[in-house]
Amino acid sequence: MSRSTSRRLLAALSLATLAFAVRAEDLVIGYQTGIDPTKVPQADGAYEQAIGEKIEWRRFNSGPEVITAIASGDVQIGNIGSSPLAAAASRGLPIVAFIVSAQINAAEALVVRNGSRIEKPGDLVAKTIATPFVSTSHYSLLGALKHWRVDPASVRIVNLNPGEIAAAWKRGDIDGAFVWSPALGEIKRSGKVLTDAAEVGRWGAPTFEVWVARKDFAERHPEIVEKFAKVSLDAFADYNAHKDDWTADSEQVAKIARLTGADTRDVPELLAGSAFPESDEQRRLLDGVTARDVQATAHFLKEQGKVDSVLDDYSPYVSKRFID
């Protein structure tokens, strides 16, 4: 190799390294269409204002999609459910959950179509039920079937994201779905709720959502993660203190509807379908409770063949340092 060729190669490598470094430090946040109070500061630009940086917000259809983007390095912070968190942590993906963004109750539900002849759990046999695979809704569906002693193999469970579920429902391709908003609000208008995440949680399979960060990003920029957590907790506190003001014609609900595609008529009920823990409760959850729940979820996923192994300890994947 000539000296000039060597210099050109070194220059190219330096430029590539610089480009990667710039790209790696760009703040890209992955969010989903779940209904929660953090959509208001997101719409208002409050996260950018608090952090002092431009944020690229990317919308995803499911937690596994967010996990894929985080694993590739394209996303630094993302919103996922407890089931995708358990699956990702079990595979050793370097992420850390730093805030519980919602404790899911009625915000996710199993809805069956009017006219589907599904009146009781046993009627699900041979029916087509859609859910996004390895999501909290999928976990809840499997938990419900286990509680009802209905063999999942006897039900035709298909993998569709929320947008695809809404379209398949309109076409009549599916008999039911376990899903979240905005699809949940749409399908409930011509169906009935057979169970929801709150009831399945009482049966032993609770679900929740978290914000996670790549560990390398969180270690380099703890102040960004802390500021992100602070804005989120402020949004929870505002909603919890003024729930009655978040009506279908309120400004807050309009912002949530714009970001998620949900109908403003559905948003207040969907908000009420989750609990949004504030600082003290966050510390309790992140200081052991969440890690234990993630491990329990991983055990269930292993039973279902969704993960290969379960870790002895999931606490390295959960941290309260960013809210302390």
Side-chain angles (χ1 to χ4, degrees):
M1 182 184 294
S2 70
R3 186 175 299 175
S4 60
T5 301
S6 178
R7 282 199 300 268
R8 285 197 300 271
L9 179 58
L10 286 171
L13 287 171
S14 297
L15 287 172
T17 301
L18 177 61
F20 175 78
V22 171
R23 185 186 67 80
E25 295 303 317
D26 289 344
L27 183 52
V28 183
I29 297 178
Y31 75 100
Q32 296 188 62
T33 57
I35 303 299
D36 73 85
T38 64
K39 298 296 191 298
V40 175
Q42 180 182 342
D44 290 341
Y47 286 103
E48 288 87 344
Q49 191 172 19
I51 293 170
E53 288 188 23
K54 181 181 177 182
I55 296 173
E56 179 185 343
W57 294 89
R58 291 188 191 170
R59 178 169 157 173
F60 292 88
N61 290 311
S62 67
E65 290 183 8
V66 178
I67 287 295
T68 299
I70 290 176
S72 70
D74 290 339
V75 168
Q76 286 74 49
I77 295 175
N79 182 221
I80 62 174
S82 48
S83 184
L85 172 60
S90 297
R91 296 197 304 269
L93 185 70
I95 57 175
V96 57
F98 62 90
I99 191 170
V100 176
S101 56
Q103 293 170 305
I104 304 169
N105 296 316
E108 295 186 14
L110 172 58
V111 182
V112 293
R113 175 190 299 282
N114 293 340
S116 64
R117 297 183 180 178
I118 302 174
E119 301 295 333
K120 58 186 184 301
D123 297 334
L124 292 168
V125 173
K127 300 294 186 180
T128 302
I129 307 298
T131 194
F133 278 12
V134 199
S135 66
T136 47
S137 284
H138 188 198
Y139 175 70
S140 292
L141 173 60
L142 295 175
L145 294 176
K146 181 178 181 180
H147 175 79
W148 291 326
R149 298 182 181 179
V150 175
D151 183 357
S154 70
V155 182
R156 184 166 180 259
I157 303 175
V158 295
N159 181 21
L160 297 178
N161 68 45
E164 292 169 335
I165 285 174
W169 184 277
K170 289 177 182 176
R171 293 193 303 267
D173 294 344
I174 56 177
D175 301 300
F178 211 128
V179 71
W180 57 87
S181 58
L184 177 60
E186 293 180 35
I187 66 178
K188 281 171 69 175
R189 293 192 179 91
S190 55
K192 65 177 181 179
V193 174
L194 203 60
T195 189
D196 61 24
E199 188 170 39
V200 179
R202 291 192 292 273
W203 294 337
T207 52
F208 52 92
E209 292 183 356
V210 293
W211 280 104
V212 299
R214 284 183 58 97
K215 281 189 176 180
D216 54 356
F217 179 83
E219 289 166 2
R220 287 196 309 270
H221 303 290
E223 75 287 351
I224 289 179
V225 181
E226 290 164 7
K227 290 172 182 176
F228 186 95
K230 174 69 164 58
V231 172
S232 301
L233 290 176
D234 287 346
F236 296 163
D238 182 52
Y239 170 72
N240 290 336
H242 308 100
K243 290 180 182 180
D244 293 343
D245 297 333
W246 292 47
T247 58
D249 57 354
S250 68
E251 186 178 349
Q252 296 96 323
V253 165
K255 292 172 182 176
I256 292 173
R258 282 199 298 272
L259 275 177
T260 63
D263 191 309
T264 54
R265 295 172 296 173
D266 299 328
V267 171
E269 180 183 353
L270 293 168
L271 280 167
S274 293
F276 306 104
E278 297 182 42
S279 299
D280 290 344
E281 179 64 4
Q282 289 283 345
R283 291 185 182 92
R284 187 187 74 83
L285 292 171
L286 298 173
D287 194 21
V289 175
T290 298
R292 290 195 297 271
D293 287 344
V294 171
Q295 186 179 50
T297 302
H299 277 295
F300 184 86
L301 292 175
K302 188 173 186 299
E303 287 178 16
Q304 301 296 324
K306 304 302 180 184
V307 298
D308 295 328
S309 60
V310 177
L311 304 179
D312 292 332
D313 182 15
Y314 283 81
S315 60
Y317 296 90
V318 181
S319 176
K320 67 183 182 72
R321 64 171 285 204
F322 302 103
I323 63 170
D324 281 342

